[in-house]
Structure formats: C-alpha cells, structure tokens
Amino acid sequence: GKGAAGMIQKLKDRVLSGQELTGEEALSLAESAPLAPLCAAADEIRSHFCGNRFELCSIVNGKCGRCSENCKFCAQSAFYETGAGEYPLLSEKEILREAEAHEEQGVLRFSLVTSGKRLTAPEVEAIAQVVRKMRRETGISPCASLGLLSREEFVLLKEAGLERVHNTLETSRRYFPEVC
C-alpha cells in the first residue's frame, strides 16, 4: 500500500545519503514491504554505490571434510561417503600462496572457506594471523566463511584485517528439518 511505498522511499533516501538502517527497520522491510518496490529500491541503491561494476572474488577451501552437520546436499558432511577430500586447516604458507596466485590473475577479493560448524580457538587465531600477513604482503582484500564465531572471534578477525564474513543460509528455519 501507500504506507509501505512511503516507508521504502524514506529508507532508500536515507541509505542513498550515506546513513544506515537500524536492524529493526531492515526486519520491518523484510517482513512487510512488497517485494517488487523493495527490489526496485535495492537496485537503485546498488546502482548508486556500485554502478554496473562487480568484484572478482575467489576462494580457497581452507579446511575440507568431516563436518559434524548432516546437510543432505553437502559432500563435506561426515555423515555421507562422498569421496570428497579431507584435510585440516591449510598452513599459512599454502593460504598465502593461493592468495598471491589469485591476485596475479586480477582477483580483488579472496575468501578463506572452512568446513564444519565451528573452528577451534587455535584455528581462528591461525586464520587471524594469516589475514594479518595477507594484509601486509598482498593487495588482495581478505574475507572468510568460517561457520559459527563468537563476538570475540569476530573482533579478533576484524582487528586482523578481515573485511567480510560470509554466512551461507541454506534454507528457512521451517524447512531445515528437510535438509538436515
């Protein structure tokens, strides 16, 4: 309705002026705004800030296999025999070698992805250390997908220079039992 359109316009204008939405405002849009006008506003924001450019991002599978989750679609779940490789967290040297090789190919962003629900504290510290070194020795922008992290781990990784943390949401809460 008219109220929703006005709310979308008001919030879009705020974002275009460089301000942020609150969590409550974002949830309100997700829960009640009509999809077509919301998508149109999001596209205007994308166009304003990014134009039609995109960034190349590559990943390294930093830790593979033996995940304790039982997602039916995933080759890395410990619950299924898929033939997927298994290895612990790659060494700093291996990760940096991958980052440098991708940077040489013109990739701007490099993501360290690990299997499993949660890393150990020493693994998180090792990733923070490799991110620090990546920031010092390369021009590539580091990001990661590491499973569940505590607030303290997020802070540690941010202070190390990690720019983004990706979180893959596989499905809705309601459909989750069909997947896992």
Side-chain angles (χ1 to χ4, degrees):
K2 220 171 194 175
M7 178 179 65
I8 291 170
Q9 181 68 42
K10 180 181 104 178
L11 295 177
K12 178 188 76 173
D13 290 345
R14 187 167 358 130
V15 170
L16 290 173
S17 73
Q19 298 176 44
E20 294 183 5
L21 303 184
T22 66
E24 294 78 23
E25 289 167 331
L27 283 174
S28 174
L29 287 172
E31 292 170 355
S32 63
L35 188 59
L38 185 60
C39 288
D43 191 49
E44 283 184 57
I45 292 168
R46 178 213 41 88
S47 180
H48 174 82
F49 288 107
C50 302
N52 287 323
R53 298 180 324 268
F54 63 91
E55 296 178 349
L56 290 177
C57 178
S58 63
I59 69 168
V60 61
N61 193 355
K63 178 182 176 184
C64 189
R66 305 307 297 166
C67 178
S68 63
E69 297 296 288
N70 67 343
C71 302
K72 294 175 184 173
F73 58 84
C74 184
Q76 295 193 55
S77 171
F79 288 82
Y80 309 109
E81 290 298 324
T82 65
E86 294 178 21
Y87 50 84
L89 187 63
L90 294 177
S91 71
E92 178 181 285
K93 186 176 183 178
E94 291 170 301
I95 294 169
L96 286 171
R97 186 173 48 236
E98 287 287 324
E100 290 165 353
H102 286 95
E103 183 181 28
E104 288 173 13
Q105 297 297 314
V107 173
L108 304 174
R109 186 167 297 284
F110 183 73
S111 185
L112 178 57
V113 179
T114 58
S115 70
K117 185 174 185 174
R118 179 182 293 279
L119 296 174
T120 65
E123 288 172 328
V124 174
E125 181 52 52
I127 290 171
Q129 181 58 35
V130 77
V131 167
R132 286 184 201 99
K133 200 158 188 179
M134 196 181 305
R135 298 296 283 183
R136 284 193 310 265
E137 298 181 9
T138 75
I140 205 161
S141 298
C143 54
S145 181
L146 307 171
L148 298 177
L149 296 166
S150 69
R151 179 174 180 74
E152 293 76 21
E153 290 168 332
F154 275 112
V155 169
L156 173 71
L157 293 165
K158 180 175 177 47
E159 289 174 351
L162 195 68
E163 290 187 0
R164 295 180 185 172
V165 174
H166 307 281
N167 186 3
T168 305
L169 299 175
E170 304 296 354
T171 188
S172 70
R173 186 169 294 181
R174 178 175 42 92
Y175 195 69
F176 189 81
E178 301 300 318
V179 176
C180 293

